[in-house]
């Protein structure tokens, strides 16, 4: 079976030529009501649909040679399950938890539990809006938060997480103990 990545709502796309098993893998999660992007409160969230946003993320992911898995759910439990699953299959997470940002200890705990570098994204500037949106339960377990830059925020998050993951891979390589002389000579 060819390696593949899943797009939201069950669409599966096979890897283009040139992908390899060492590619960085990032799971992108969209929370509740983001399926309505493009029609929902356009003055706040703009006119771009979720499909168009996902296409832009997928395009940049290809340029960066990152494998992305994009999903949307209106259910907190489903988001928690996808975060848990990511522990062994992905290197990092980008999440717009939408309204769950302000309410969900379960999503925060799932991110803390898997320990994957996670970037929190919001299309609107949550700090400029109603007071109840100023509080994020996710920010404390994320490596960073991007808020208020619209769809560009996701692209910046992808670049930022990509750079973060590459830097930590490099650091792991340089701090890994040098092979012992015996191992280096192929001795057991
Ligand atoms: C949002 C901001 C949240 O406060 C809101 O509940 C959303 C979208 C954003 O992307 O701006 O649904 O996460």
């Amino acid at each position: 079976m060819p390696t593949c990545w899943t797009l939201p709502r069950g669409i599966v796309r096979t890897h283009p030529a040139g992908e390899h098993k060492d590619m960085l893998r990032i799971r992108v999660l969209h929370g509740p009501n983001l399926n309505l992007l493009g029609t929902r409160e356009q003055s706040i969230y703009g006119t771009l649909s979720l499909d168009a946003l996902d296409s832009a993320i997928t395009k940049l992911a290809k340029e960066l040679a990152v494998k992305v898995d994009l999903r949307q759910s209106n259910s907190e439990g489903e988001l928690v399950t996808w975060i848990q699953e990511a522990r062994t299959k992905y290197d990092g997470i980008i999440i717009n938890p939408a309204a769950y940002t302000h309410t969900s200890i379960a999503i925060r705990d799932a991110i803390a539990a898997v320990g994957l570098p996670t970037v929190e994204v919001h299309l609107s500037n949550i700090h400029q809006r109603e007071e109840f949106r100023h509080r994020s339960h996710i920010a404390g377990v994320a490596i960073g938060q991007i808020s208020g830059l619209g769809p560009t925020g996701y692209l910046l998050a992808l670049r930022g997480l990509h750079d973060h993951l590459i830097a930590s891979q490099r650091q792991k390589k340089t701090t890994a103990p040098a092979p012992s002389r015996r191992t280096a000579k192929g001795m057991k």
Side-chain angles (χ1 to χ4, degrees):
M1 199 169 133
T3 43
C4 62
W5 71 63
T6 47
L7 283 173
R9 293 163 296 286
I11 304 163
V12 174
R13 184 175 285 188
T14 51
H15 282 174
E19 289 194 21
H20 53 87
K21 67 177 172 42
D22 296 330
M23 285 177 93
L24 289 174
R25 297 153 304 167
I26 293 177
R27 179 161 268 183
V28 181
L29 298 176
H30 306 287
N33 299 309
L34 294 173
N35 53 316
L36 301 181
L37 279 184
T39 56
R40 171 193 186 200
E41 295 178 279
Q42 290 183 343
S43 59
I44 299 173
Y45 299 114
T47 53
L48 198 72
S49 68
L50 186 60
D51 279 343
L53 173 58
D54 281 344
S55 298
I57 297 169
T58 304
K59 184 168 173 272
L60 178 61
K62 271 186 201 159
E63 283 167 29
L64 296 174
V66 171
K67 173 186 163 180
V68 278
D69 173 76
L70 302 125
R71 289 157 188 253
Q72 187 277 330
S73 180
N74 293 328
S75 148
E76 183 178 19
E78 195 159 36
L79 291 164
V80 167
T81 300
W82 289 341
I83 292 164
Q84 289 182 5
E85 271 177 17
R87 192 174 66 82
T88 51
K89 297 185 185 142
Y90 293 89
D91 301 299
I93 297 172
I94 293 171
I95 184 167
N96 182 346
Y100 290 136
T101 307
H102 321 296
T103 61
S104 180
I105 309 292
I107 291 179
R108 178 197 171 99
D109 283 354
I111 293 170
V114 300
L116 290 175
T118 297
V119 180
E120 175 186 352
V121 178
H122 299 283
L123 293 154
S124 64
N125 183 346
I126 56 172
H127 304 287
Q128 266 182 357
R129 298 182 62 194
E130 303 95 321
E131 200 153 339
F132 67 85
R133 295 187 204 273
H134 297 181
R135 169 106 195 250
S136 165
H137 288 296
I138 311 306
V141 291
I143 60 167
Q145 183 195 67
I146 299 174
S147 177
L149 299 180
T152 303
Y154 283 88
L155 305 180
L156 294 173
L158 184 56
R159 281 189 192 278
L161 185 53
H162 166 270
D163 290 359
H164 175 91
L165 292 170
I166 297 280
S168 22
Q169 278 183 350
R170 286 208 184 116
Q171 204 177 2
K172 270 187 208 145
K173 273 185 199 151
T174 51
T175 54
S180 74
R181 285 178 58 202
R182 288 179 61 180
T183 321
K185 284 182 186 163
M187 295 172 70
K188 293 208 172 151

